[in-house]
Amino acid sequence: MKILITGVSGQVGHALQQQLGHSYQLTTPGRTDLDLSRPDQIRDYVFATRPDLIINPAAYTAVDKAESEPEIAHAVNALAPAALAATARELGIGLIHYSTDYVFDGSLRNAEGGLQAYQENHATNPLNVYGRTKLAGEQAIITSGCQYLIFRTSWVYSRFGKNFLLTMLRLANERDELRVVNDQWGAPTSSQTISDATTAIVDQLALASNPQVWWQQHQGIYHLTTTGHTSWHGFTGEILHQAALHGLLSKTAPVLHGIPATEYPTPAIRPVNSCLDTTNIRQRFGITLPNWQHALATCLS
Ligand SMILES: NC(=O)c1ccc[n+]([C@@H]2O[C@H](COP(=O)([O-])OP(=O)(O)OC[C@H]3O[C@@H](n4cnc5c(N)ncnc54)[C@H](OP(=O)(O)O)[C@@H]3O)[C@@H](O)[C@H]2O)c1
């Protein structure tokens, strides 16, 4: 199977390239080969490379900057997936795409007023430009008529790139105190967890006796994160704890304080509750997902 993967310089794209490259023939266009802010180029590029499957982890992911660059964010996160989906439909191939917890407004609560994880069919209501453009991308794929899988994930980190884990490790080695938001909740998810699950699912597709039937049976939106949940403050506490165990701190760990999000204002509003229910992806594809502490330990080791 020949797979086109976008965004391989990013966290998820890089992990996918490393893992899927062992078993599949990959085409991995960078921004200079295929600029996704120019969706008009997409059809010709895909037709020239003739993949059997498209995987699209590329995205405009600068959540705060998107507030002042809505047109570019919309082009990359909505128009490009729309063009990829239209091309996939024309070629009769499938599209695997990634989306975000930020399509929700984070207000979901259970009957007791506690946190409830979002299921795939809960109502969306993005609070920021990034979330709105990602939701528009989902909707464009669904209405295109192509065969698709959309994996919504959350709080992505990896051992390289720009992410919360690496920021906290840097700050832990620079500062004596850290103040981190303790009233936003979600599942920190390593790019490796996303790549492991995606690879297991691509392997199932590759082994399917009738790929068209496989797509009919599996197509849809799925939530793909680690299991369990924490706050940014809780995540930081675990990072400091595990980093000390792995000898990654050059000094005594800083004192960690929890603060409300109101004390850390950002251009983009974030949802309070980013927890996603992963039951469907685990049951439908028979895969297991690690809890967030275990995935962090794997990444740090
Ligand atoms: N990061 C998170 O916390 C998070 C949370 C929830 C969902 N997600 C979703 O998960 C997926 C993967 O995210 P990630 O964290 O791996 O993203 P990332 O590390 O920010 O990587 C984004 C990738 O997209 C590429 N890209 C951006 N604009 C492009 C353009 N105009 N043309 C071509 N390529 C372009 C980047 O290329 P350059 O290197 O050239 O910029 C990079 O390879 C995305 O769909 C994202 O929305 C992420």
Side-chain angles (χ1 to χ4, degrees), residues 7-217:
V8 294
S9 58
Q11 302 185 87
V12 174
H14 178 76
L16 288 169
Q17 180 182 29
Q18 296 294 307
Q19 206 165 351
L20 290 168
H22 293 299
S23 312
Y24 302 99
Q25 189 187 336
L26 305 183
T27 305
T28 55
R31 188 188 286 261
T32 47
D33 309 304
L34 180 62
D35 183 350
L36 296 174
S37 67
R38 301 273 318 275
D40 53 310
Q41 302 177 342
I42 288 174
R43 183 179 180 278
D44 285 352
Y45 186 90
V46 178
F47 264 79
T49 53
R50 287 271 167 182
D52 304 301
L53 173 69
I54 301 171
I55 305 183
N56 182 42
Y60 183 108
T61 56
V63 175
D64 289 318
K65 204 170 161 199
E67 296 295 311
S68 52
E69 290 189 349
E71 291 85 10
I72 304 176
H74 183 73
V76 177
N77 291 346
L79 301 181
L84 288 168
T87 310
R89 177 159 194 255
E90 227 182 312
L91 287 171
I93 63 173
L95 169 65
I96 297 179
H97 177 75
Y98 298 88
S99 189
T100 171
D101 50 316
Y102 286 7
V103 297
F104 296 115
D105 63 17
S107 63
L108 189 67
R109 295 286 176 278
N110 62 25
E112 291 77 44
L115 284 181
Q116 184 183 342
Y118 281 93
Q119 293 175 336
E120 286 80 353
N121 58 3
H122 272 119
T124 53
N125 183 30
L127 299 175
N128 55 46
V129 168
Y130 168 75
R132 283 195 284 279
T133 61
K134 292 295 290 185
L135 180 61
E138 289 185 4
Q139 290 166 342
I141 291 169
I142 292 166
T143 55
S144 73
C146 80
Q147 302 160 329
Y148 69 88
L149 291 170
I150 296 173
F151 297 141
R152 287 187 188 134
T153 190
S154 67
W155 295 21
V156 178
Y157 65 89
S158 74
R159 59 199 181 86
F160 78 99
K162 197 165 177 269
N163 60 62
F164 186 85
L165 167 64
L166 296 183
T167 300
M168 286 301 139
L169 286 176
R170 177 174 55 78
L171 293 177
N173 284 313
E174 289 173 3
R175 297 191 186 172
D176 297 326
E177 292 188 44
L178 290 178
R179 297 180 189 282
V180 183
V181 171
N182 64 4
D183 57 0
Q184 290 172 348
W185 303 88
T189 301
S190 79
S191 61
Q192 195 57 52
T193 297
I194 298 169
S195 178
D196 287 344
T198 305
T199 301
I201 291 166
V202 169
D203 288 345
Q204 291 179 23
L205 166 63
L207 289 172
S209 52
N210 187 332
Q212 301 299 326
V213 171
W214 187 93
W215 277 108
Q216 282 164 19
Q217 291 172 341

